Amino acid sequence: MTRSPIHPGELLISLGLIALGMFVVWETRGIAETQGYAQIGPRLFPYIIGAGLTLCGAVLSWQALSGGWRNVPLDQEEHDAPDWVAFAIISVGVILHMVIIGWAGFIVASTVLFVLIARGFGSRKIVRDAIIAVVLATVVFFIFTLGLGLTLPKGPFGGI
Amino acid sequence: MDTFSALMSGFAVALTLKNLMWGFLGVTLGTAIGVLPGVGPALTIALLLPATASLDPTGALIMFAGIYYGAMYGGSTTSILLNTPGESATIVTALEGNEMAKRGRAGPALATSAIGSFVAGTIATILLTVMAPIIVDFALKFGPAEYFSVMVLAFTTVSAVLGASAARGLASLFFGLTIGLIGLDSQTGQARFTLGIPELLDGIDVVVVAVGLFAVGETLYIATYLNRIEDKMEKVKGSIWMSKSDWARSWKPWLRGTAFGFPFGTIPAGGAEIPTFLSYATEKKLAKNPEEFGKGAIEGVAGPEAANNASATGTLVPLLTLGLPTTATAAIILAAFQQWGLQPGPLLFETQPQLIWGLIASMYVGNVILLILNLPLIGIWVKLLEIPRPLLYAGILIFATLGAYGLRNSWFDLALLYTIGVIGFLMRRYDIPVAPVLVGMILGPLAEQQFRRALAISQGDLTIFVRQPISATVFAITALVLFGPPIWRRISARRARPATTP
């Protein structure tokens, strides 16, 4: 498999690491250094970490620009094209769950999540998935709220 | 015999009905999640952390340890019967194990891995019992500088030595250390890296990070890249018992595998991948008929299976005696100790001998239970493999979101969960190891504490780390581990060059 000399994904992650490292250093400057008994305050350690991140990002950027990161299996082997539709469906599932759990309740949100994830993995039996989801979510809801004392949102239909 | 009486008092703790039950629950759960692809011990223990906070620590820790080594038993079942391994530590087992199953020898393959795991687990537990007090005696002399130096060594070996690339491992480690910085500074109480978001004052919870990386990230990765690969399950046909020649061919690999696995677990270079590969290579070299390798040689199952179990137990040596986690799961177990305000290390052997020795004694019992669970009852676990992939991952995500949301009923944790999940997805895609994130995040704050204590003692003089003989030695080893291999590679490349270009 021939490779393009510059791998855009790898370069982006490397630059992201540099940006994060510089951000850590920049934020650390805003932490007040305490004077007193402790010789070393809350700033030195974050400085070291920020520098480390930046350095790793720099090395990886250089690798990305000179033939790509070393030994990445997915770059070397032949593999099927990634299934971005599946990625999108699962992402929608997780985000939708986050948005609705507060008012729709745990059982409804989890059912929606379950059906969407199963769909993302290619399941076409939506009715079967929904039935399993409702049963599983209800059982889990009562085990965790009544059995383990966790508080979970009931929602308009929950906590029957 | 101080150790012996300590161990006996440990058995008195481990054999109470309540703790036996926790141990049984742990190893059963461990076997189940080991069998299931997509769920590992680190994820399971992380999900159980909030639910166990109010329990008695001894029982809960016995359960967590059971989940850890139980997963090693269960993982081999998946590797043998399915063409996709259940746990990363059992990849090597799949090489020969799956071939044996295809040739109708699934039974003996399962048996040699279960019995080999038992032999290795028990020997490793004995070694843990003997070694722990010796290391504790030594570690009692440690001051902050020494602790900081061994933590740096652990950071280096976990991130730079394992895996395909030191740069990616270290990037992962520093990312974990950055997450560990978020929240209130433990010594001055100042807020750091909270960006003015009140939810971040307590820091990012380890549950959210572990579940995000291992559940959400993994689910996204499998769905995007691997969902089109068909799982093909082999049937367990015929007797599961091993023939006389199977025994004769298995027992030496078991012992050799243990000899590889345990030391690799104990030195802070955790992970079972390297010793299982070493064991496989050794068995291939020593085998009477090496042409059988690749076509289902029982030695290639027996050795690596023993190695991964011995190394799982081995990682508990640095964890319990020094408080050093060297794998993702060990890091989560350390976080479990912390939720009860306990800090593993030499002092815990003195202040909580009941807990520590009860935990160690429970592992002797747990290995016996696992042998029973994984030989006669193997049929039950095989059923778990029949769960269709869409339902399995949908179920995993229900528990994952529950774990994150249940912490404080905040959508903020779910947003964080998804963000970390996407990061985990990218890490899988670009082969960046995940374990250093967790080790860095959990061990980082402790390392900073020791670092600042050491400098408070020396009044800000950084040379304290090289003036103390122990920490100087450990730092020298760290430098050797980090810079040795690349320098060696360059030297040998230079030597090779004149030979090729005359």
Side-chain angles (χ1 to χ4, degrees), chain B residues 382-444:
Chain B
V382 174
K383 290 267 184 312
L384 282 180
L385 289 176
E386 286 165 10
I387 300 175
R389 201 188 273 154
L391 301 184
L392 176 65
Y393 282 94
I396 290 173
L397 273 218
I398 291 218
F399 284 100
T401 48
L402 168 68
Y405 192 73
L407 290 173
R408 49 186 176 186
N409 278 7
S410 159
W411 65 270
F412 181 81
D413 287 324
L414 289 175
L416 216 50
L417 181 75
Y418 179 69
T419 312
I420 293 170
V422 172
I423 292 171
F425 165 81
L426 289 173
M427 293 178 76
R428 270 299 300 265
R429 163 64 183 85
Y430 289 104
D431 197 36
I432 303 170
V434 174
V437 174
L438 287 156
V439 172
M441 157 180 192
I442 293 165
L443 197 55

Side-chain angles (χ1 to χ4, degrees), chain B residues 47-235:
Chain B
L47 281 173
L48 286 170
L49 279 184
T52 52
S54 56
L55 296 175
D56 154 52
T58 310
L61 286 167
I62 286 176
M63 173 170 77
F64 291 158
I67 291 172
Y68 187 21
Y69 56 82
M72 295 290 164
Y73 279 78
S76 54
T77 306
T78 313
S79 298
I80 289 166
L81 296 181
L82 223 56
N83 49 0
T84 46
E87 307 294 328
S88 61
T90 56
I91 289 170
V92 183
T93 311
L95 296 177
E96 298 302 318
N98 197 236
E99 290 300 319
M100 281 182 77
K102 277 186 191 149
R103 287 166 175 73
R105 304 235 307 135
L110 291 168
T112 197
S113 69
I115 300 169
S117 297
F118 171 75
V119 170
T122 306
I123 294 177
T125 310
I126 294 170
L127 292 172
L128 165 68
T129 311
V130 176
M131 280 176 65
I134 300 170
I135 298 176
V136 161
D137 271 347
F138 183 63
L140 279 172
K141 298 186 193 94
F142 278 23
E146 284 81 7
Y147 269 113
F148 181 69
S149 67
V150 290
M151 284 169 177
V152 171
L153 175 63
F155 283 148
T156 312
T157 49
V158 168
S159 51
V161 178
L162 302 175
S165 148
R168 295 206 289 278
L170 286 170
S172 170
L173 172 75
F174 280 113
F175 179 63
L177 288 170
T178 308
I179 297 177
L181 285 177
I182 298 170
L184 295 180
D185 172 35
S186 65
Q187 304 206 341
T188 61
Q190 289 191 65
R192 295 193 294 185
F193 303 97
T194 53
L195 314 173
I197 302 169
E199 277 91 345
L200 288 179
L201 280 177
D202 291 333
I204 296 181
D205 201 289
V206 63
V207 176
V208 176
V209 176
V211 175
L213 292 175
F214 288 116
V216 182
E218 186 72 9
T219 302
L220 286 169
Y221 179 78
I222 301 278
T224 310
Y225 282 100
L226 299 177
N227 195 28
R228 269 166 269 181
I229 297 170
E230 284 286 320
D231 285 336
K232 208 168 132 280
M233 201 174 95
E234 308 295 334
K235 292 247 159 47

